[in-house]
Amino acid sequence: MQELNVALATVGALILVLGLLSRPLDRSWLSPPLVAFLLGILLSPHGLGWLNPSAWGNVDTLLEETTRLTLGISLMGIALRLPPNFPRRHWQSLFLLLAIGMPAMFLISALLAHWTLGLPWLIAMLVGASVCATDPVLASSIVTGSLAKESLPESFRHLLSSESGANDGLAYPLVLLPILLLTAPTGSAWMDWFVTVWLWEVGMGIVVGVLLGWVSGRALEWAEAKEHLDQPSFLSITLALTVLVLGVGKLLGTDSILAVFAAGLAFDQVVGGKERSEEDNVQEAVNLFFTLPVFVLFGLIAPWSEWMALGWSGIVLALLVMLLRRLPVIWALRPWLPPVREKRIALVMGWFGPVGVSALFYAVMIARRTENDTAWVVGSLIVAVSIIVHGVTAAPFAKRYRRQAAQVPT
């Protein structure tokens, strides 16, 4: 019970301080996820020893479910932040990023893991799949806030948000492919991948999400028209929808992460979520209260001894993934991506593809399904490096882009 109170006091104090200092932190090199991660390390058994998650039960299950809930809440916030017509207007850019960009990032990351660590190809594919998606939680910390709105083009911010929202759920088939090849006969593995994963888990996940989002939107309109809402709170309604979709999607055996994003988009089309969420500061509340605790938890359970066992090869791999996983892909696709066709913003888009909560979720899931923790050890190290590197560079890069854009003659 004492550790529970320490955890509650820690999270409460963290959110309170970051909320009171949100503007100066937004313009500094110290991002909120980085602060939360460092706080977790400080309180962990490797630091002050005030909190020990291993005494709370199964740490893997705790992290998997915490990351799943965090991803769901973040994806709902992203779906409601987007202009309703943005996915339709820029469907070609999103298609290229998801159908070509993400598989390319998967293969590049797998090749780097195979080359630097000497991992067997299927194990390297597990690592590549776990880190190929652009994390929506860290991406939201980059594209939201006053500095990002003042410095970065709106079309870029919406494109990065859309990509990070969709590719988290669509990374699921890439994760399942090496898992099935490792755990099932080759012939049945490919059949399961096409039929079970793509048609049912992904396809039905989208259908379930769209249906629940549309019905919930219509229900909200009906309740408002009948004046049944005494003290309406858009935040509470969207949180309830998120939890509903996560639960129903999981019970039906579908990709519940993708289902939440689909539900958010459908809900937004019905009720105009962007305007409502801006009125209630939904995104700010989500970023502060619901996403930071997972970074504290990650700091508490970071596998330091396993990271040390990787040696310098692990650090080299993480840095190479930061440099080569995304930047060359975005640069190559730049001519066909109108929002980032200009060179300077293409470099920003190529650099800011953070690896975060989604990688932790998939890495823990891989370890559970394969009983091989390589993806967890390597993937979590890459996440830690991404939290530091992208957290430290977000504000300086945004300021630098604004200065350079101001110098261009109009």
Side-chain angles (χ1 to χ4, degrees), residues 279-300:
E279 289 175 4
D280 285 0
N281 292 322
V282 169
Q283 191 61 43
E284 288 73 11
V286 166
N287 281 343
L288 277 175
F289 196 80
F290 295 104
T291 62
L292 291 181
V294 73
F295 293 103
V296 177
L297 178 61
F298 178 43
L300 290 172

Side-chain angles (χ1 to χ4, degrees), residues 85 89 128 144 159 191 200 224 228 248 257 281 320 333 402:
N85 62 346
R89 285 177 51 208
T144 59
L159 183 62
M191 181 62 69
W200 177 257
E224 289 177 332
H228 289 334
V248 172
I257 301 299
N281 292 322
L320 287 176
L333 294 176
R402 181 176 60 182

Side-chain angles (χ1 to χ4, degrees), residues 90-118:
H90 295 275
W91 70 267
Q92 291 176 311
S93 296
L94 289 171
F95 177 79
L96 287 174
L97 288 171
L98 298 172
I100 297 177
M102 186 169 63
M105 296 177 207
F106 158 55
L107 292 175
I108 290 171
S109 301
L111 285 170
L112 290 173
H114 176 70
W115 176 63
T116 57
L117 300 179

Side-chain angles (χ1 to χ4, degrees), residues 72-73 76 79-80 208-217 220 234-249 256 259-268 271:
I73 293 171
M76 181 62 70
L80 298 176
V208 168
V210 170
L211 180 62
L212 290 176
W214 184 86
V215 170
S216 298
L220 176 60
F234 193 65
L235 175 58
S236 63
I237 291 171
T238 55
L239 287 176
L241 176 59
T242 301
V243 175
L244 171 66
V245 177
L246 283 174
V248 172
S256 60
V260 169
F261 189 62
L265 292 177
F267 185 74
D268 182 44
V271 303

